Amino acid sequence: MISFTPNNHPDVKIPKLIYGTAWKKERSAELVYQAINAGFRAIDTAAQPRHYREDLVAQGIRRAIEDGIVKRDELYIQTKFTPPSGQDLNNMPYSSTSPLRTQVETSLASSFKNFTFPSTNEEPYLDALVLHSPLPAISQTLEVFQILSSYVPTKIRVLGISNTSLNILQFLVAEAKIPPAVVQNRFYADTAYEVPLRAFCRENGILFQSFWTLTGNPRLTRSDVVVDVGKRLEENGVAKGEGKMVALYGLVMGLEGVSVLDGTTNETRMKGDLECLKILSGLIDGEWCDEWKSWMDAFRVLVGQD
């Protein structure tokens, strides 16, 4: 449950719990620093000032490195190229009127500048670059992937796509020079929990990153299996009131090839989420081994993956 290695990328290990930085605004630097200090080793952001402050996320990482909390090679840093349709046209890292190649290259240059850490004496690189959403034409989406491929593996380790359909993902896997190793989509009932798309990801060694996991799933949180696991967790050291959240995260991660974005702004909760998942992992590997299989079977049925 700790990390995932995408197919064809044996040197890349992606932690299963990723700190998400959307909507953190001016607090981004401090919250990222707190998250790393709490133990998070994967950070997700985007070159999209409308919803993210990539510059401040990098500032928080830089401070953690300079304070000796973490080394650059111990972190998984993931950012995104956001097409014009997802940008505030008055505040974006490139000109929306530029050719597509220039848009991508200018956005990347801005990200590499942000994620330059002088104290490491290393050239800047990204562990993952995710296309924030498909472009209007499938040919444009493929073009972005072909441009990004030229940066792999030196400047970018792996590529990904977010907010994608199964058809587009299948096309990229078939046609892109370097296909996605990561897919970041909502995990909730309105998309039927992405069952066919996640099956395709499993078959192709692609990590599915779940976002909106708590906010988008009140029904799952109230379900018998989540309540049961949560109650048992609170009997085994998880703080009162935290059991259901940890149970849901754990059950979602228990679906093969799935990680979870965690965007808490509470420093105590940051530490607690990581510690609680360690408790859960230990129980799964030990006394809960058989029981966990039954809970996972029930959860698969609940999300339509039976």
Side-chain angles (χ1 to χ4, degrees):
M1 186 180 283
I2 303 301
S3 65
F4 178 90
T5 298
N7 196 26
N8 300 322
H9 297 281
D11 297 331
V12 177
K13 295 189 184 302
I14 306 175
K16 296 293 287 291
L17 194 64
I18 300 168
Y19 189 66
T21 63
W23 303 104
K24 303 298 189 288
K25 299 183 180 180
E26 288 75 17
R27 299 183 65 198
S28 295
E30 182 62 28
L31 289 170
V32 167
Y33 180 84
Q34 289 175 3
I36 294 173
N37 194 42
F40 279 87
R41 291 299 178 262
I43 308 293
D44 172 82
T45 187
Q48 183 204 33
R50 181 180 181 181
H51 295 154
Y52 295 81
R53 285 296 304 271
E54 186 190 70
D55 57 332
L56 296 183
V57 169
Q59 188 181 111
I61 294 172
R62 186 177 302 112
R63 179 183 165 199
I65 291 173
E66 290 175 353
D67 285 358
I69 296 170
V70 71
K71 297 177 181 177
R72 171 62 185 93
D73 62 8
E74 295 171 339
L75 291 172
Y76 171 86
I77 299 175
Q78 172 176 292
T79 192
K80 306 178 189 77
F81 166 72
T82 305
S85 60
Q87 298 277 11
D88 174 352
L89 299 182
N90 296 312
N91 182 21
M92 53 191 292
Y94 59 85
S95 171
S96 62
T97 61
S98 297
L100 184 54
R101 174 175 287 276
T102 303
Q103 292 179 15
V104 174
E105 291 177 344
T106 305
S107 182
L108 280 175
S110 173
S111 294
F112 288 132
K113 180 179 179 181
N114 284 334
F115 292 108
T116 297
F117 306 117
S119 64
T120 67
N121 295 315
E122 293 181 86
E123 288 294 312
Y125 68 92
L126 297 167
D127 296 283
L129 195 289
V130 173
L131 174 58
H132 211 156
S133 62
L135 280 79
I138 191 68
S139 59
Q140 294 174 304
T141 300
L142 180 60
E143 182 182 353
V144 170
F145 263 79
Q146 306 302 50
I147 295 166
L148 294 175
S149 294
S150 67
Y151 291 84
V152 180
T154 307
K155 300 291 287 184
I156 299 170
R157 301 297 189 249
V158 300
L159 303 180
I161 187 167
S162 185
N163 302 298
T164 187
S165 67
L166 175 57
N167 288 342
I168 290 173
L169 179 60
Q170 290 172 325
F171 177 82
L172 290 172
V173 168
E175 301 295 334
K177 180 180 178 182
I178 298 178
V182 167
V183 167
Q184 186 182 109
N185 275 16
R186 286 182 178 88
F187 179 89
Y188 70 145
D190 286 6
T191 58
Y193 304 104
E194 298 284 17
V195 172
L197 185 146
R198 288 190 293 106
F200 182 80
C201 286
R202 289 195 302 275
E203 292 163 6
N204 290 274
I206 299 168
L207 175 65
F208 181 91
Q209 296 180 350
S210 164
F211 72 94
W212 232 41
T213 311
L214 284 179
T215 307
N217 290 296
R219 183 180 73 89
L220 291 185
T221 305
R222 295 192 299 268
S223 66
D224 289 345
V225 63
V226 171
V227 171
D228 288 348
V229 175
K231 182 178 178 182
R232 293 286 299 281
L233 280 167
E234 291 179 2
E235 293 169 356
N236 283 271
V238 170
K240 195 76 172 173
E242 300 294 316
K244 288 197 294 184
M245 180 276 296
V246 178
L248 181 58
Y249 277 0
L251 289 161
V252 172
M253 289 182 193
L255 301 170
E256 184 182 348
V258 179
S259 68
V260 170
L261 269 74
D262 182 339
T264 182
T265 57
N266 183 297
E267 188 173 10
T268 301
R269 183 81 170 269
M270 292 173 185
K271 295 175 182 176
D273 289 355
L274 291 163
E275 286 301 319
C276 291
L277 285 169
K278 285 181 183 177
I279 292 171
L280 176 58
S281 184
L283 290 166
I284 292 169
D285 292 337
E287 61 189 84
W288 282 11
C289 183
D290 293 333
E291 205 166 10
W292 182 253
K293 292 175 184 176
S294 298
W295 281 325
M296 283 305 310
D297 287 342
F299 190 68
R300 289 188 186 96
V301 171
L302 195 60
V303 300
Q305 187 182 320
D306 51 351

